[in-house]
Amino acid sequence: MTSQIKTDLDIDYRLVFLGPPGSGKGTQARLLASRFGMKHISTGAILRGEIDAGTCLGIEAKKYIENGQLVPDHLVRSLAENAIKSEDCKGFILDGYPRTIQQALWLCEFMDAEAESLTAVINLTISNEDVVSRLSQRRINSCTGENFHLSNKPPPQEQSKFIVIRSDDQPDAIRQRLKIYHELTHPLVEYYSKKKLLIAVDALGSFGAVNSEICRVLNFPG
Ligand code: AMP
């Protein structure tokens, strides 16, 4: 991959961002996708949109999300595949999909059928203690979806009426999400490592430092 130096700002890499809740993968994926002209595909954000719209899928998904559980595989599969298939999607960053080995197998099948393949999988690493500390201070703008952190990136005063705590950032749900991550999602590290796609990035540094490191390992312009 290091030989593919890209200088234009329309990068067609097909990336997966892996990492526990609170590793910052959503914030990094969103920024990199918009900067380099890739589509940011967050199954969590799509599911929250379904909940807000009161669809049948949203009503079903809400029960799992609020308890820190994964939404069943078959419910998220088509959300991810439809997003990848959409016309505005050449390069993409998948943020929060796949989350189980079953989802990874489906993704592989889907990419093969499209005669495409993943470029790389970025694994953002962080300890459980740092996850709990980050998530308990996370706030979100309910209109824009932008994330804030009470100490490191406090929400601007003028947005205060839109600032909420995600229901799955409550302490019990955080613990549950971490447990689920280690049981069901962490096995993907070995899965993608065996496929020689995995690149580990330490997620503990500042947002800018982690961002630069991701750009460096992907050979993106800094
Ligand atoms: P996120 O915004 O990525 O943290 O996702 C929020 C919640 O949505 C997760 O805790 C899961 O309940 C659900 N979710 C998002 N993506 C998936 C997925 N690929 N598989 C199952 N559940 C998902």
Side-chain angles (χ1 to χ4, degrees):
M1 193 189 327
T2 43
S3 60
Q4 295 176 292
I5 295 180
K6 296 276 188 175
T7 50
D8 61 304
L9 290 186
D10 225 357
I11 291 179
D12 57 2
Y13 281 7
R14 293 166 298 280
L15 303 171
V16 167
F17 277 24
L18 269 185
S23 58
K25 63 184 184 314
T27 314
Q28 294 289 351
R30 179 199 296 250
L31 184 95
L32 287 166
S34 87
R35 184 162 165 221
F36 295 114
M38 290 177 286
K39 185 167 182 189
H40 174 214
I41 301 174
S42 157
T43 41
I46 299 173
L47 286 165
R48 283 187 287 281
E50 297 282 331
I51 293 173
D52 291 345
T55 63
C56 294
L57 171 60
I59 291 164
E60 181 66 13
K62 190 169 189 230
K63 298 184 284 194
Y64 297 95
I65 293 178
E66 288 194 341
N67 288 318
Q69 304 278 347
L70 291 189
V71 175
D73 288 335
H74 68 279
L75 294 181
V76 279
R77 179 186 188 178
S78 58
L79 295 181
E81 293 182 359
N82 290 341
I84 298 173
K85 251 192 262 181
S86 70
E87 275 171 24
D88 59 338
C89 187
K90 275 198 294 177
F92 60 77
I93 303 181
L94 278 171
D95 156 22
Y97 189 91
R99 258 180 159 103
T100 62
I101 292 285
Q102 177 62 73
Q103 292 178 15
L105 294 171
W106 281 335
L107 178 62
C108 182
E109 226 175 77
F110 173 79
M111 298 293 284
D112 283 350
E114 301 279 307
E116 297 281 9
S117 56
L118 292 176
T119 313
V121 175
I122 297 292
N123 181 32
L124 290 165
T125 59
I126 185 169
S127 72
N128 283 355
E129 301 77 64
D130 288 315
V131 164
V132 174
S133 146
R134 273 194 186 177
L135 290 187
S136 52
Q137 296 205 61
R138 178 159 74 177
R139 298 294 180 273
I140 186 168
N141 180 314
S142 56
C143 296
T144 63
E146 187 175 0
N147 281 331
F148 297 97
H149 183 277
L150 291 181
S151 315
N152 302 339
K153 187 190 170 196
Q157 186 57 40
E158 61 274 18
Q159 294 186 28
S160 57
K161 65 177 173 204
F162 303 115
I163 301 299
V164 295
I165 302 180
R166 272 173 45 169
S167 55
D168 56 351
D169 280 345
Q170 304 294 345
D172 283 351
I174 294 175
R175 274 190 287 277
Q176 178 64 12
R177 286 161 68 202
L178 264 174
K179 182 169 169 279
I180 299 276
Y181 171 79
H182 287 290
E183 278 172 22
L184 299 177
T185 308
H186 195 257
L188 295 178
V189 170
E190 194 186 345
Y191 174 86
Y192 283 122
S193 180
K194 282 191 178 150
K195 287 182 174 269
K196 308 250 178 295
L197 285 170
L198 198 81
I199 306 175
V201 171
D202 183 351
L204 193 56
S206 67
F207 175 82
V210 176
N211 191 266
S212 303
E213 181 59 7
I214 297 174
C215 289
R216 189 188 69 76
V217 299
L218 290 172
N219 227 6
F220 285 176

